[in-house]
Amino acid sequence: MIGYYVHHHGSGHLHRARSIAAHAPFPVTGLSSLQAPDGWPGPWVSLPRDDDGDPDTFGDVTAGGRLHWAPVLHGGLRGRMARIAEWIAATSPALLVSDVSVEVALLARLLGTPTAVAAMRGERTDAPHRTAYDLAEVLLAPWPATLPEPGWPRHWRAKTVHTGAFSRFDGRSAAPGEARADRTRRVLLLMGSGGRDVSTAEIAAARAASPGWRWTALGGPDGRWEADPWPVLCAADVVVTHAGQNAVAECAAARRPAVVVPQERPFGEQAATGRALTRGRLAVVAPRWPDAEHWAALLEQAYAHGGDRWSQWAPGDGAARAARALADVVHRRGAA
């Protein structure tokens, strides 16, 4: 038995957890404020939220820079940590995966449970990240070893398993394309649920400035929601997306040409991903949402570039590699 903590911001953490759990050779218990996803292969522990209430009462949430999120005298935080501790005491898990919370990783380790941390790109050398990464048995890096994150200390690199990117769509065949009555090419704007950095007006201006391209939006301020976006993704001639790990992995799984626009995120995560994609010549990367007059050329550039190089980013078996890495830790510790 292992535990898998799933952070409740956005949907990428949940998709990643579900992909790994499906390949695990032992039961996996999910712990999260999110609802259990369909098909989760084990128990699910529901946790109280730790971010509700009046922020003015939260106090120093960083505990003097030693933590990332620990609001003072917050009942939800107290309740979620107590519930995790109760579960560890009752089940004696062989390992707890944190995806991703420094505080949950530290709690597990203080209770004598080995930890694995889902690593993130960006500036992670602050004190809380250093502590969690230093204490982890293994760091799961969902990107290729050929495009490592610069500046990591040697002892982090020594215990990092570069799985390559992976998503819920790995192993799925490309959806059949529908017949087109005209030659209008298709743009899929993939915004996701974790951020809203682009305005309706900016999207409308990009559409107007790119005649000959038909835009469809999923997520974002005006986009629709699809339980299964795979057919729409496969039908796109170019995908325009942010640089979140999950969004990029899904684009890579479909081998779609892409314009990637990193959004502002803590620790510069998406900007770091954009730099890696540029180094690997995997996609057209714009450092910020381009002015309208640049969109036609960017879409043409991405279309000409194609999507074949995505296989270097997402080999297709990343979730299985991650599950094997967790199994290796469990076996090394002699746990069943």
Side-chain angles (χ1 to χ4, degrees):
M1 164 77 72
I2 72 168
Y4 199 120
Y5 170 80
V6 182
H7 189 51
H8 48 266
H9 181 72
S11 58
H13 305 289
L14 184 62
H15 291 322
R16 182 162 51 231
R18 182 166 52 182
S19 297
I20 294 174
H23 290 276
F26 32 62
V28 180
T29 295
L31 304 102
S32 182
S33 297
L34 298 173
Q35 292 185 346
D38 293 339
W40 181 261
W44 191 267
V45 177
S46 181
L47 303 177
R49 297 280 297 220
D50 62 355
D51 56 358
D52 55 355
D54 181 3
D56 290 338
T57 67
F58 287 179
D60 178 12
V61 298
T62 71
R66 295 298 174 179
L67 300 172
H68 284 155
W69 188 258
V72 178
L73 300 177
H74 190 283
L77 174 69
R78 186 163 51 247
R80 75 193 283 110
M81 292 305 193
R83 195 162 297 176
I84 294 170
E86 290 167 358
W87 175 80
I88 289 176
T91 64
S92 298
L95 180 71
L96 187 134
V97 183
S98 177
D99 187 3
V100 43
S101 164
V102 165
E103 292 73 29
V104 168
L106 296 184
L107 173 67
R109 187 62 189 86
L110 285 169
L111 292 172
T113 301
T115 61
V117 169
M120 307 283 280
R121 286 196 183 271
E123 178 50 62
R124 306 290 169 175
T125 57
D126 59 285
H129 273 117
R130 284 203 310 270
T131 303
Y133 283 30
D134 284 351
L135 295 179
E137 300 278 327
V138 64
L139 300 175
L140 299 177
W143 56 80
T146 54
L147 292 169
E149 186 61 10
W152 277 22
R154 181 179 300 177
H155 65 285
W156 289 7
R157 297 196 304 269
K159 60 182 174 182
T160 297
V161 175
H162 290 91
T163 65
F166 56 90
S167 79
R168 54 185 163 161
F169 298 137
D170 287 352
R172 189 167 172 179
S173 299
E178 63 184 62
R180 303 189 187 185
D182 57 37
R183 296 187 178 183
T184 302
R185 289 173 292 182
R186 300 181 183 184
V187 179
L188 174 62
L189 177 59
L190 191 63
M191 298 293 289
S193 61
R196 298 288 184 269
D197 288 13
V198 182
S199 70
T200 300
E202 288 173 315
I203 295 171
R207 291 177 190 262
S210 51
W213 294 86
R214 190 174 78 192
W215 289 61
T216 298
L218 294 182
D222 294 318
R224 71 178 191 265
W225 181 84
E226 289 277 355
D228 181 13
W230 182 248
V232 182
L233 184 62
C234 291
D237 294 295
V238 172
V239 176
V240 176
T241 181
H242 57 88
Q245 284 187 3
N246 191 65
V248 174
E250 293 187 352
C251 183
R255 305 296 192 252
R256 294 293 82 203
V259 177
V260 178
V261 186
Q263 295 180 341
E264 292 289 337
R265 288 295 182 273
F267 310 105
E269 174 202 343
Q270 292 202 13
T273 298
R275 290 191 293 270
L277 296 177
T278 298
R279 292 199 306 272
R281 297 184 293 114
L282 300 173
V284 175
V285 178
R288 62 190 63 82
W289 187 262
D291 294 334
E293 62 267 24
H294 298 307
W295 271 107
L298 284 171
L299 294 174
E300 292 291 347
Q301 182 183 351
Y303 184 73
H305 185 276
D308 291 343
R309 291 182 63 85
W310 278 125
S311 60
Q312 300 178 33
W313 185 261
D317 63 347
R321 294 185 190 188
R324 286 196 299 270
L326 300 180
D328 287 345
V329 174
V330 172
H331 295 153
R332 187 167 66 242
R333 288 292 181 181

